[in-house]
Every structure is written in C-alpha cells, then in structure tokens.
Amino acid sequence: MKKSYFFTALKITLSLFLVCGVIAGAVALAYSVTINKYNENVANEKSNAIAEIFREPGAEAPELTLGDVDLPENSPKSVKEVSKVLVDEKTVIGYAINITGKGFGGEISLMIGYNADGSIRGVKIISHAETPGVGTKATTNEHLSQYNQKSGELTISKKKGDDIAAVSGATISSKAIHAAVNEANKLIIKVINEGGSAQ
Amino acid sequence: MKKKSGFLTQLKEGILDNNPVLVQLLGMCPILALTTMVSNAIGMGLAATAVLICSNVLISLLRKFIPKQVRIAAFIVIISGFVTVIEFIMRAYVYSLYQSLGLFIPLIVVNCIILARAEAYASKNKVLPSAVDGLAMGLGFTFALFIMATIREIIGMGSFLGIPLFGDFYSPATIIISPPGAFLTLGLIIAVVQKIRNNAEDKAQIAKMKAQAMGEAKEEKDA
C-alpha cells in the first residue's frame, strides 16, 4: 500500500518534471534563435533616435558614430546609457543620454541629445506606456521641442514665465519627462567636465 | 461529429454562439486594456490565437500522459512556454507591435480563455478538433477585441487603424479610450449581444410551440 503510493507520487512528479524540462528547452531554443535580432532592433531604435536628433532640418540623416562614455560616479539608476556622438569618427559634436522617467503608465524611455557645450539638442521618446490621447500629448514633438537649446535646472508649470509649459491633461507624463531631462542635465555637466577620460 | 460540418459548427460556436468574451465573459483584462487602438487589438488577438492553437494541440497530444493530479500545473507550464516563445518571436520580428502591447504579452499566460479551453476541451478531445477549437476561440477573442477597439478608436480618437477619419472639427471623446470608457463600451456591446441571442432563442421557442400546437391540432383532427 505504502509502496504503491510512493510510486504514484514519483510518477506524477517525474511527468511534471519532464513537461517542464521539455518546455524549458523549447524556450531556450527560441531565445537563442531570436536574441540577436532583438538586440539589433533595440540598438537600431536608439541610433535612429540619435540620428533624428542630430539631423539638420531638411537634410538627410547624418553619418554618425557613437562612442561609449563611462557613467559618472553616483549616477542615478534611471540613466541607462551615455554615448558620445562623433562625426567622421573623430570630431565630437555632442552627447546622447538614454534615461528613463516614471510616467503614469510605467517607464518612459527618453533619448536626450546634447550639443558639445551641454545644451539640449533635442529630446525623443523611445518607448512609453502613457494613456493614448491623454498622456501621449506630452510625448509630441511640439511639447518636447520646448527643451531644445536649454540647459541646467529647468522649471515646469502651466503658468507663463517658466522654462517649459506643462501640457494640461498630461501633467504626470510631462512632469515625468521633465524630471528625467533635469536629471540628465545634471549628468551632462559631469560628463563634459570629465570629458577626456573616456576618449 | 461529422467532419466538415463539425469544423464549421466549431468555428461558429467560437466566434458567435459561444464567444469567449461576449458570451462566456472570459479574458476581461486584455479586452478592457488593449482596445484603445484597432492595431493593438488585432495584434493581441492574433498572438493569443497562436498561443491557444499551440497549447490546445500540445495539451491534446499529452492528454493521456499528464497525470490528472498535476494537470493544471502542466497546462500552465505549457501555456507560459508558448507565450514566452511568441514574445521572443514578436520582439525580434514585429518590434513596434511588441512595444505597444508591452506587458500584455506575458499576461497572455493568465488569460483564462486559454486555460479554460485546455481544461474544458483540449484535455478531453483529439488533436485535430482541439486545434480547430483553439482557432475558433482565438478568432472569437480577436473578433470581440476588434469590434470593441473599432468603436473605441473611432469615438475616442477619431481614427481607424491610426488613419484620421474626421477633420479637425471633431474633438475626440477621450472618456471612451480611458478605463471607464472601456467598461461602458463593453457593457453596451454585451447588452446588444444578449438581446440578439434572446431574440433568437425566443423565436426558436415560438416556432417550437407553434409546431407543437399544429401537431396537436392535427392529432385532434385525425381523432
């Protein structure tokens, strides 16, 4: 009696184990087949955003190369990546910071391009999960272009006189983007001061 | 069950008579959250359909192998395996769709339609009918998502599949694409579907009663 119970339990465990093993194998296979393509997609998206930021109006997207920059010490966790933007593989024309902000619907991933002097060249949204038609108003180029050419600690509100006009109805989204940009503005000063270290 | 008519009845069952969303009221989470844009709704529906077909086939194949005591655990492992594979494929080949669906792809695992079909159908039937059942239920789910997203996108954003339908003079009723709007729209759609189903049922009943009455009258005459 006891023995048969033991064998039933063993049989159940083994068959579940087998199912799990086979599925895990299949998932691992699918992962190894698709991972390169996925990384390519992510990298493409980021470099497209950078190219878009550094494009002269009306001109074709320029040939840019990106150089890695070490993150300054004590950088906040929201900073994902800092790169130098080079033309002809030697002249540094600016920097790009990939940073995330906490939006209404989750993480907002931003690409912020800087001129060599540390002023903002342009801000692009890479991904977000804001409410369509509401929070997405803060992700339009019209709103984001307010940041262009600005630097340092910026203020935001719906009143006049502040650096950035918040979007009514999308307060949380625009503030999330704003906080991320300010964070990156602090960071870029450090990056430029440390300048040579990464070259 | 006859072969060809069986296929069509199953399909009709899944899409209309026993629609997983509009009649069985399953899979409420994606139907409420992902129907703000038609493109997202179709993407979600097709991803779920693919998972449903694959998991139904595999579960049906393994129905004699999986001990009944751990069947739910085994089903969930199989379903989540397929969902993960589909997620990998989507982020490699349809990256923009993957981004707009975001968190909802892994959440297909807990979509109760899939577990419900595994438990109620695939674990008791042969492979081919199970595959057809997965297809039918998946299309039913997609159909419901599509209808709801069409209504919400047109009213709430003034566009269809991202193409603006009206000029600038139309200011979209954003409540419809916000969460309360999802409940409102879903409630109204289900009410309409119930009305249609009730009418059909009433008609069938009346026809039956008429036939009975005629039969009785005939019997009386004969007597």
Side-chain angles (χ1 to χ4, degrees):
Chain A
M1 186 70 192
K2 229 178 189 178
K3 205 178 165 192
S4 79
Y5 181 76
F6 174 75
F7 276 113
T8 325
L10 194 68
K11 197 188 139 214
I12 291 171
T13 319
L14 275 182
S15 41
L16 189 56
F17 181 75
L18 207 64
V19 170
C20 291
V22 170
I23 294 292
V27 169
L29 181 74
Y31 179 81
S32 62
V33 169
T34 56
I35 187 66
N36 286 337
K37 185 83 180 137
Y38 170 61
N39 287 338
E40 210 175 280
N41 285 341
V42 174
N44 267 346
E45 186 169 48
K46 286 185 179 160
S47 57
N48 282 347
I50 295 175
E52 189 66 24
I53 289 169
F54 284 90
R55 190 170 64 112
E56 298 296 335
E60 296 261 311
E63 279 287 325
L64 298 171
T65 43
L66 300 178
D68 288 334
V69 174
D70 296 324
L71 289 186
E73 269 177 48
N74 303 328
S75 305
K77 266 192 189 154
S78 56
V79 179
K80 299 295 173 211
E81 208 176 350
V82 181
S83 346
K84 272 182 300 189
V85 182
L86 305 113
V87 166
D88 302 332
E89 305 200 351
K90 48 181 190 275
T91 332
V92 177
I93 58 162
Y95 299 87
I97 295 182
N98 182 204
I99 192 169
T100 58
K102 267 207 178 118
F104 186 71
E107 224 168 52
I108 304 176
S109 177
L110 297 162
M111 184 63 79
I112 307 170
Y114 287 92
N115 295 313
D117 64 355
S119 62
I120 295 176
R121 171 94 187 200
V123 178
K124 285 250 174 256
I125 306 277
I126 294 184
S127 63
H128 70 85
E130 301 308 287
T131 319
V134 186
T136 45
K137 282 187 214 152
T139 64
T140 56
N141 278 334
E142 204 181 347
H143 173 70
L144 295 175
S145 61
Q146 293 186 84
Y147 287 101
N148 293 0
Q149 311 314 327
K150 295 196 170 121
S151 60
E153 179 97 35
L154 302 171
T155 54
I156 185 168
S157 81
K158 286 174 200 162
K159 287 176 292 188
K160 274 186 183 167
D162 278 295
D163 300 316
I164 308 295
V167 184
S168 56
T171 318
I172 295 178
S173 310
S174 41
K175 282 195 174 153
I177 293 169
H178 188 76
V181 173
N182 268 342
E183 200 67 61
N185 279 353
K186 271 189 247 166
L187 189 76
I188 194 68
I189 298 171
K190 284 190 205 165
V191 170
I192 291 175
N193 287 343
E194 287 174 19
S197 69
Q199 308 208 354
Chain B
M1 215 180 273
K2 273 175 265 162
K3 247 187 187 169
K4 195 165 181 193
S5 68
F7 175 74
L8 288 177
T9 4
Q10 261 185 309
L11 217 55
K12 187 164 167 273
E13 177 99 335
I15 297 172
L16 301 169
D17 300 340
N18 206 3
N19 186 297
V21 178
L22 302 174
V23 179
Q24 301 180 51
L25 302 185
L26 294 173
M28 290 291 108
C29 172
I31 200 95
L32 291 169
L34 276 176
T35 48
T36 51
M37 279 160 75
V38 177
S39 54
N40 283 358
I42 294 175
M44 179 67 190
L46 295 183
T49 307
V51 173
L52 199 48
I53 295 173
C54 296
S55 69
N56 263 9
V57 167
L58 191 62
I59 286 166
S60 168
L61 276 172
L62 294 177
R63 69 187 186 280
K64 289 189 181 120
F65 172 75
I66 297 172
K68 65 177 187 307
Q69 295 93 327
V70 289
R71 65 184 194 285
I72 302 283
F75 294 166
I76 289 288
V77 169
I78 291 169
I79 293 166
S80 53
F82 278 119
V83 169
T84 315
V85 170
I86 297 268
E87 186 183 359
F88 287 157
I89 294 174
M90 284 178 83
R91 68 182 196 181
Y93 300 106
V94 275
Y95 188 64
S96 57
L97 183 65
Y98 164 77
Q99 278 200 320
S100 55
L101 296 181
L103 182 64
F104 288 96
I105 304 172
L107 280 179
I108 298 176
V109 176
V110 286
N111 187 325
C112 29
I113 297 171
I114 297 174
L115 186 62
R117 292 329 288 174
E119 169 74 7
Y121 199 92
S123 62
K124 297 181 186 118
N125 286 283
K126 287 195 179 135
V127 176
L128 199 61
S130 297
V132 175
D133 182 72
L135 178 71
M137 288 295 159
L139 289 181
F141 179 56
T142 314
F143 175 69
L145 280 166
F146 177 76
I147 297 262
M148 179 125 158
T150 307
I151 296 173
R152 289 182 72 194
E153 193 179 335
I154 290 177
I155 299 177
M157 291 170 84
S159 63
F160 180 73
L161 278 168
I163 306 156
L165 293 180
F166 316 109
D168 289 333
F169 65 88
Y170 178 77
S171 85
T174 37
I175 178 135
I176 296 296
I177 51 168
S178 64
F183 284 104
L184 289 173
T185 320
L186 183 64
L188 290 173
I189 294 176
I190 291 175
V192 170
V193 170
Q194 285 300 334
K195 177 78 187 153
I196 295 170
R197 272 161 39 92
N198 285 349
N199 278 356
E201 233 167 68
D202 286 351
K203 256 185 203 160
Q205 204 122 35
I206 289 167
K208 210 172 157 192
M209 274 159 68
K210 258 189 192 164
Q212 239 170 15
M214 293 270 269
E216 275 168 22
K218 222 179 185 181
E219 268 172 34
E220 268 171 33
K221 244 187 197 171
D222 291 344

